[in-house]
Amino acid sequence: MVPSKEGTSVLYNYSQNKIFFLEKDITDLIKEKGLSDPSTLNILGSSARINENIGCDGLERKLFCEIVDNCNLKCNHCYGSFCPSSTDRNSLTKEQWKEVLTYFNEQEFGVVQFTGGEPLLRKDELVELVESAYGLDFKGIEIFSNCTLFEEELMGDLERFQDKLKIRCSIYSTEEEIHDSITNYPGSYTQTLNNLIKLKEKGFDLETITILMEENKESLKEIQELMKSLDISHSYDLVKPIGRGKQNYSVIEDLKKNYSTLRDDEDGSIVVRKPDAELSEKYNSCFYKTASITSSGDLYPCIFSRDILLGNVIKDGLSTTNEALLENAERFAHKNIEGCGDCELRYACNDCRPLVHSLTDDWFSKSPLCPKETGMINV
């Protein structure tokens, strides 16, 4: 049980995978009688304002490999400002990428995502890298693509990895005009949707994501319905004011009342994972769980933290890479963030420091999207 300054509390029940928001009188009763008292348990069961069954899956660290820094599209919100005219100079070789994969796999990173730019611009190399990751101990392999460049031959080359491979793709609207206005590529919606259907028919595991911005903020419901009809999983997020996203962030004022830093499931229930909670005592769990390497070898704690350069895996070598990531994750732990160190929700909080920095110009300030600050949750 984690108390708040107001006398209320949050109870994290990992054995039942539940979270309880407790009023002051129940908090006082538990302090007096303890959790094992029958009367406490009876009252507890009826007092919870949130009481959801939630998954308690394990903790996987994820490596993002930006194998190319150019793209065939020029999306309005791109965090890396990738576009067709990007140079893609000083790229890591295939052998260097394979060394990176081996090192991070030895550091117990469980998932690797190949992204860009648009990774299919280097499709021959992509297949080799997926094969290399498949032969290691990665539990999951992902390709994040806009899916406009998929061809039958490439689908066939990737089919043998399907038991570990997931293909992730952004889709911005069910209206071609809106989607294409975001990608700045006429016909991209049709190409993306057609290839998603083909990939689904071939048995690939697919996930789509919608980034909400001014142009498509009314499109979410229709996209969700379309993806459900295609039996393709879907999630969404708000545009981050990073890269070209800086010019497209007025939507936050319309949507932030429904946005939460708390980890949540598709049905809106709060997700509490014991490994995350334990991790939060020492680290920023987001920075702990991710690492991003650009095509030139630059190392960042995540794909959105372009202002926190931790080194270069080629110039500096790989031997101290994980140490640099852990030191950075500890630096941004809840205990070091203004107003977060003693917050009763900290064990369920998915604290995105790059987003906070982009909104406040301060890496250590409290998130303006904190659900307690926006009134989404009153504890």
Side-chain angles (χ1 to χ4, degrees):
M1 187 175 73
V2 183
S4 71
K5 294 178 180 178
E6 294 77 16
T8 59
S9 63
V10 172
L11 177 67
Y12 297 87
N13 186 333
Y14 299 120
S15 64
Q16 296 182 15
N17 300 333
K18 295 178 179 179
I19 179 172
F20 296 89
F21 284 39
L22 307 180
E23 304 292 353
K24 185 177 184 304
D25 57 339
I26 305 302
T27 299
D28 293 340
L29 180 65
I30 292 175
K31 287 180 179 178
E32 178 185 350
K33 294 192 174 184
L35 282 169
S36 60
D37 187 276
S39 63
T40 301
L41 294 177
N42 289 336
I43 297 175
L44 180 64
S46 62
S47 69
R49 286 192 275 122
I50 295 183
N51 178 1
E52 299 283 355
N53 266 329
I54 38 188
C56 194
D57 50 8
L59 184 67
E60 293 291 352
R61 300 180 77 187
K62 186 172 182 177
L63 171 65
F64 293 83
C65 296
E66 297 179 1
I67 65 172
V68 60
D69 70 357
N70 59 357
C71 185
N72 61 318
L73 307 182
K74 191 179 179 180
C75 296
N76 296 339
H77 61 290
C78 180
Y79 70 89
S81 299
F82 302 123
C83 63
S85 61
S86 299
T87 56
D88 194 29
R89 294 177 295 181
N90 302 319
S91 295
L92 273 66
T93 66
K94 286 185 294 186
E95 295 308 313
Q96 287 172 325
W97 275 120
K98 290 177 182 179
E99 291 176 10
V100 167
L101 293 174
T102 299
Y103 172 81
F104 278 90
N105 188 237
E106 291 172 348
Q107 302 303 315
E108 300 183 348
F109 277 70
V111 180
V112 58
Q113 181 182 112
F114 297 105
T115 182
E118 173 48 54
L120 268 61
L121 289 172
R122 300 177 72 171
K123 59 185 178 182
D124 293 337
E125 180 173 319
L126 174 64
V127 174
E128 283 195 44
L129 293 177
V130 169
E131 183 176 26
S132 180
Y134 189 84
L136 296 169
D137 292 330
F138 287 105
K139 296 178 182 178
I141 303 168
E142 299 178 354
I143 296 172
F144 202 112
S145 167
N146 58 52
C147 285
T148 61
L149 300 178
F150 264 105
E151 299 172 347
E152 291 286 340
E153 182 180 357
L154 178 58
M155 294 181 194
D157 290 340
L158 293 172
E159 277 186 304
R160 65 185 188 273
F161 309 119
Q162 282 186 348
D163 59 314
K164 287 188 177 182
L165 180 63
K166 173 181 285 189
I167 296 172
R168 307 184 73 187
C169 174
S170 296
I171 189 161
Y172 304 112
S173 177
T174 58
E175 296 182 37
E176 182 174 3
E177 182 179 354
I178 295 177
H179 180 97
D180 292 358
S181 72
I182 292 172
T183 65
N184 292 291
Y185 186 93
S188 60
Y189 172 75
T190 298
Q191 292 177 24
T192 294
L193 186 60
N194 287 345
N195 283 330
L196 283 172
I197 293 172
K198 290 179 182 178
L199 288 163
K200 184 66 180 180
E201 290 173 346
K202 292 180 180 294
F204 285 93
D205 184 12
L206 304 178
E207 181 179 358
T208 55
I209 182 169
T210 299
I211 305 300
L212 296 174
M213 60 198 86
E214 192 63 38
E215 295 94 325
N216 70 339
K217 64 183 181 182
E218 305 296 336
S219 301
L220 182 59
K221 182 178 180 181
E222 288 75 16
I223 297 173
Q224 290 173 326
E225 291 175 350
L226 175 61
M227 292 301 108
K228 184 176 181 179
S229 72
L230 296 173
D231 193 27
I232 296 175
S233 62
H234 178 265
S235 60
Y236 70 94
D237 200 356
L238 300 186
V239 61
K240 291 181 172 60
I242 299 168
R244 283 197 296 270
K246 291 179 180 178
Q247 66 192 20
N248 195 329
Y249 209 62
S250 60
V251 69
I252 189 63
E253 293 304 319
D254 298 325
L255 297 174
K256 71 179 182 181
K257 62 180 179 298
N258 295 318
Y259 185 88
S260 175
T261 59
L262 298 180
R263 303 181 186 96
D264 58 5
D265 212 344
E266 290 182 0
D267 63 357
S269 59
I270 295 176
V271 176
V272 181
R273 300 182 178 97
K274 187 175 182 180
D276 283 314
E278 294 174 341
L279 196 66
S280 295
E281 291 289 350
K282 184 175 182 180
Y283 299 112
N284 176 291
S285 60
C286 186
F287 278 162
Y288 173 87
K289 290 186 292 185
T290 63
S292 177
I293 298 177
T294 69
S295 61
S296 60
D298 286 340
L299 172 69
Y300 298 101
C302 86
I303 59 174
F304 298 116
S305 58
R306 312 305 261 201
D307 292 334
I308 306 179
L309 178 62
L310 299 178
N312 183 283
V313 298
I314 302 304
K315 296 176 183 177
D316 304 324
L318 285 163
S319 61
T320 60
T321 296
N322 192 48
E323 181 180 349
L325 289 166
L326 293 179
E327 288 178 355
N328 181 74
E330 187 169 5
R331 178 186 174 206
F332 290 101
H334 286 301
K335 62 185 178 182
N336 297 325
I337 304 302
E338 177 187 351
C340 297
D342 58 355
C343 176
E344 65 277 13
L345 296 175
R346 63 188 180 274
Y347 300 124
C349 184
N350 191 28
D351 181 37
C352 179
R353 287 291 99 194
L355 178 57
V356 173
H357 177 256
S358 64
L359 292 173
T360 67
D361 200 31
D362 183 351
W363 282 103
F364 293 94
S365 69
K366 189 174 184 178
S367 173
L369 299 180
C370 169
K372 292 177 66 176
E373 295 296 303
T374 62
M376 184 177 181
I377 289 181
N378 296 307
V379 181

